[in-house]
Amino acid sequence: MVTTKPTTVPDPARSQRMQRPPQINRGRVKGLLIHVGLITFGLVMLYPLLWMISSAFTPTELIFREPGLWPSQPTLENFRDGWTALRHPFHRYIFNSMVIVFGAVIGNLLACSMAAYAFARLNFRGRKWYFAIMLGTIMLPIHVVIVPQYILFAQLDWINTFYPLIVPKFLATDAFFIFLMVQFIRGLPKELDEAARIDGCNHWGIYWRVILPLSMPALATTAIFTFIWTWNDFFSQLIFLADPDLATVPLALRLFVDSTGSTSWGPLFAMSVVALGPIFGFFLAGQRYLVRGIATTGIK
Amino acid sequence: MGRPAAAPPVPQPAASPPPTQPKTWRRDGRAALLFLGPWFVGLVAITAGPIFASLVLSFTDYSLLSSPSWIGLENYERMLNDPRLHSAMWVTLRYVVVSVPLQLALALALALVLDRGVRLLPLYRSIYYLPSLLGASVAIAILWRLVFGTEGLVNQVLTLPVISNVAGMLGIEPTGWVSHPDYALNTLIVLNVWTFGSPMVIFLAGLRQIPVMYYEAAAVDGASWLTRFGRITLPLLTPIIFFNLVLQMIGAFQTFTQAFIVSGGSGGPADSTLFYTLYLYQRGFGNFDMGYASAMAWVLLVIIGGFTAVNFLAAKYWVFYGDD
């Protein structure tokens, strides 16, 4: 649009106002608008979560009257009521969840890394076939195997125990993590293995003393996502744990909704916040790591 | 099994000539047994065995109490005449076809905005990613039920002074969103779109892979933003779009928790949120109709496989792998 050369313009004030400042401003205004847009959108997205947290601290009778985020009469009553609303105090359900989660994390770390070591480093007959089969199981919907698994665990008398939720992890059934670790281990220099072998290490030694310590990023990703997925898991816990004494956090929340109906929103919000607590914690502690993990691996 | 017919001679067991080769083979074989043992047991007992078993069970009538009785294709015939199953299929299909493209479009749009050197990028990226991490939890499903309930946050907002006027002009009135058969599914679609953060992060990673020199060349040629987007960004991003599409679709077909909690396990008003997996759960673990549930599981597998296959076939026409 600018056709006249700036030097020939006789009126400096005019040129300043009409040409240079608008350009600076346009850049700034644009950047500002983008930020305003991004912040507004972020707030709209997070608003339900913030509302939940604020409602957890609001007396039940006020929750649906105040759409604002700052409770006018903040209280811890909801946490006290919610904690004891079910047959057991809520820490019992947290404990149940923790047992399953830690079992699953240890199982996945051990079994998946072992299988990954074999696929990445060992030379054995049918490796390609087994690897292809392993890849094929990644996308398998759990619904296809859940009925026979239920029958199997029922015959082992494992229904209403934590075994169905932990033992399969020690058998490396989360093939996705095997794949993740195979990719990672392949990136480690093979010379390290050979050096360890010359120093007298067998395969177990190489795996335990060389590969595992170097695989920390992959192991951490596996641990974090196993934790979050198992903590959040509802479907298999619903199926294998019918006994309310064994209820995990998601099952307890569901019992809460069913048993209290519409009477105690406040405690329900409070316990939902408690249920999301560990994930919030992980998120705040390792958000960069989580985000990088998902960008490179494609997991949720 | 997988041994090639004209394979080079298999090393003889007792032969000594090339000492290193058979020796390492044998040693690795034994080590593989140790390292792969747990996985192999899991494959047989927890994955492959059950796949086969569910196929067999799908041809039987089995309630756990007596032994399964063979009924041939009867379960599959029953599926043809089961109105609740058809409704569940329709609900699930609508959910997948509407929510996944919306989710990916939003993810791509925000990735494009964030990729342009916005300051505070890590902050925004984390904020938008957070819902993906929480989305499948019971707590969020409960939150959704309350947000879209009769007295919920959405209706509170809709009665605020200015917003109520605008919404009124658009014909939006406060109502019980999750208890109304026309809207209940939409609330779950909103929930899925809300978790656009994880595909967005993958898009961001993909955008970073595009060489800057392409844009520099385009800038020299004076290409507009739209041209650059249409000629450079979009084509080079198609493999990532495809990856996200396949992944999110497979996930969306298996939605369960949200539908279960929002509908109280029933499938909602007039079965409007009776997802396929929820109905499978009801048949299998509510009625212990294990044969029918197995048949349903196989049909689900075929449907997901079919959609994935169509995706891969269609990919030939729109996914661009830059090998030229």
Side-chain angles (χ1 to χ4, degrees):
Chain A
M1 286 300 281
V2 182
T3 48
T4 46
K5 284 179 187 160
T7 44
T8 60
V9 174
D11 180 5
R14 185 175 172 266
S15 81
Q16 239 178 4
R17 223 184 316 115
M18 296 301 285
Q19 287 170 10
R20 300 196 55 204
Q23 267 189 344
I24 293 167
N25 271 347
R26 217 207 291 156
R28 261 201 211 147
V29 165
K30 210 171 154 195
L32 204 66
L33 278 179
I34 287 179
H35 279 289
V36 168
L38 286 174
I39 290 171
T40 313
F41 187 69
L43 280 178
V44 169
M45 274 190 63
L46 291 189
Y47 201 86
L49 287 173
L50 300 173
W51 183 65
M52 175 176 70
I53 294 169
S54 127
S55 299
F57 294 96
T58 308
T60 294
E61 59 275 15
L62 293 180
I63 289 177
F64 293 116
R65 286 204 233 124
E66 297 180 343
L69 284 183
W70 206 252
S72 57
Q73 301 166 27
T75 171
L76 287 174
E77 200 68 21
N78 293 330
F79 288 88
R80 231 172 290 146
D81 291 349
W83 207 270
T84 52
L86 295 173
R87 189 174 351 163
H88 299 288
F90 211 77
H91 52 252
R92 168 78 173 261
Y93 307 116
I94 295 178
F95 176 77
N96 287 344
S97 271
M98 283 294 177
V99 170
I100 294 170
V101 164
F102 281 114
V105 169
I106 292 168
N108 264 351
L109 287 180
L110 199 67
C112 293
S113 64
M114 279 170 63
Y117 178 78
F119 282 126
R121 285 296 204 255
L122 298 182
N123 200 1
F124 55 92
R125 197 163 295 190
R127 183 175 71 166
K128 281 188 178 154
W129 278 95
Y130 289 127
F131 191 68
I133 291 171
M134 189 274 292
L135 286 184
T137 61
I138 288 181
M139 287 295 184
L140 191 73
I142 186 182
H143 312 90
V144 181
V145 290
I146 195 78
V147 167
Q149 276 184 15
Y150 184 86
I151 295 166
L152 171 74
F153 293 135
Q155 277 167 359
L156 291 170
D157 243 340
W158 280 6
I159 304 299
N160 285 322
T161 71
F162 295 153
Y163 295 127
L165 299 162
I166 297 175
V167 173
K169 310 290 178 186
F170 280 88
L171 301 176
T173 49
D174 283 349
F176 179 77
F177 295 121
I178 304 180
F179 177 64
L180 184 77
M181 284 192 236
V182 167
Q183 296 295 92
F184 191 87
I185 293 173
R186 277 183 182 158
L188 299 174
K190 266 199 164 154
E191 288 77 12
L192 292 169
D193 301 25
E194 263 138 46
R197 189 181 299 226
I198 289 165
D199 288 349
C201 269
N202 57 13
H203 277 299
W204 183 261
I206 297 171
Y207 159 76
W208 192 253
R209 299 202 190 157
V210 179
I211 299 295
L212 273 196
L214 290 174
S215 302
M216 272 309 157
L219 293 174
T221 307
T222 302
I224 290 172
F225 281 98
T226 305
F227 189 108
I228 293 173
W229 287 349
T230 314
W231 184 265
N232 269 344
D233 176 34
F234 178 65
F235 186 65
S236 45
Q237 293 173 11
L238 178 70
I239 284 169
F240 293 125
L241 304 173
D243 181 353
D245 289 349
L246 297 174
T248 54
V249 169
L251 297 180
L253 280 180
R254 182 257 171 145
L255 289 174
F256 205 135
V257 181
D258 288 357
S259 62
T260 56
S262 60
T263 49
S264 51
W265 300 120
L268 185 56
F269 276 115
M271 290 306 103
S272 298
V273 170
V274 170
L276 293 179
I279 305 178
F280 273 126
F282 262 122
F283 180 72
L284 290 178
Q287 42 175 315
R288 276 166 191 250
Y289 196 78
L290 277 171
V291 169
R292 207 185 317 136
I294 192 217
T296 49
T297 61
I299 49 183
K300 258 190 186 194
Chain B
M1 285 153 64
R3 197 177 300 165
V10 184
Q12 282 101 34
S16 53
T20 50
Q21 178 68 349
K23 209 178 165 193
T24 48
W25 261 95
R26 217 183 306 139
R27 188 167 54 198
D28 276 9
R30 220 182 296 149
L33 212 61
L34 166 75
F35 282 96
L36 228 46
W39 172 77
F40 194 75
V41 172
L43 178 73
V44 171
I46 312 283
T47 313
I51 294 176
F52 181 69
S54 84
L55 182 61
V56 173
L57 279 174
S58 75
F59 299 110
T60 67
D61 183 21
Y62 185 38
S63 65
L64 283 184
L65 297 172
S66 52
S67 53
S69 60
W70 189 267
I71 55 168
L73 287 171
E74 228 170 87
N75 284 324
Y76 293 95
E77 278 164 33
R78 248 176 87 197
M79 293 180 78
L80 291 177
N81 303 310
D82 181 349
R84 287 198 84 200
L85 177 87
H86 302 160
S87 135
M89 279 180 164
W90 181 229
V91 165
T92 310
L93 191 68
R94 264 161 56 206
Y95 174 81
V96 172
V97 170
V98 176
S99 76
V100 172
L102 280 178
Q103 187 201 38
L104 292 187
L106 197 56
L108 180 57
L110 275 157
L112 287 171
V113 174
L114 290 182
D115 188 50
R116 303 172 74 197
V118 171
R119 253 191 273 174
L120 302 173
L121 166 71
L123 178 73
Y124 290 125
R125 201 174 47 183
S126 295
I127 289 175
Y128 296 148
Y129 175 59
L130 179 63
S132 296
L133 215 51
L134 309 174
S137 68
V138 168
I140 293 299
I142 290 174
L143 173 65
W144 229 248
R145 202 166 127 159
L146 299 179
V147 163
F148 286 96
T150 316
E151 298 176 284
L153 181 63
V154 170
N155 285 344
Q156 279 178 24
V157 170
L158 283 178
T159 51
L160 293 177
V162 185
I163 294 176
S164 68
N165 295 340
V166 178
M169 282 193 289
L170 294 170
I172 302 171
E173 301 278 330
T175 176
W177 301 98
V178 284
S179 52
H180 193 297
D182 290 350
Y183 306 126
L185 182 62
N186 292 339
T187 64
L188 291 178
I189 288 173
V190 172
L191 174 50
N192 195 37
V193 175
W194 187 62
T195 63
F196 70 87
S198 73
M200 181 195 77
V201 170
I202 297 172
F203 277 137
L204 273 170
L207 286 170
R208 201 153 301 166
Q209 301 286 318
I210 300 176
V212 184
M213 60 176 196
Y214 291 172
Y215 294 109
E216 284 165 357
V220 170
D221 291 348
S224 69
W225 182 86
L226 203 64
T227 315
R228 288 194 308 248
F229 175 71
R231 296 284 175 85
I232 302 173
T233 313
L234 207 52
L236 289 178
L237 212 55
T238 46
I240 310 280
I241 298 175
F242 176 65
F243 175 81
N244 273 331
L245 180 69
V246 170
L247 219 62
Q248 296 299 328
M249 241 184 180
I250 292 175
F253 267 113
Q254 299 176 56
T255 304
F256 175 80
T257 307
Q258 298 91 318
F260 186 97
I261 296 295
V262 165
S263 72
S266 70
D271 284 348
S272 58
T273 54
L274 183 73
F275 279 61
Y276 194 92
T277 53
L278 180 52
Y279 188 49
L280 191 154
Y281 168 81
Q282 287 183 0
R283 299 289 350 149
F285 300 92
N287 306 59
F288 289 102
D289 197 349
M290 293 299 190
Y292 195 62
S294 298
M296 279 187 69
W298 267 88
V299 170
L300 178 67
L301 185 66
V302 170
I303 292 174
I304 294 179
F307 267 83
T308 309
V310 167
N311 264 328
F312 270 91
L313 288 178
K316 253 191 256 169
Y317 300 99
W318 67 272
V319 176
F320 170 79
Y321 292 100
D323 35 0
D324 47 25

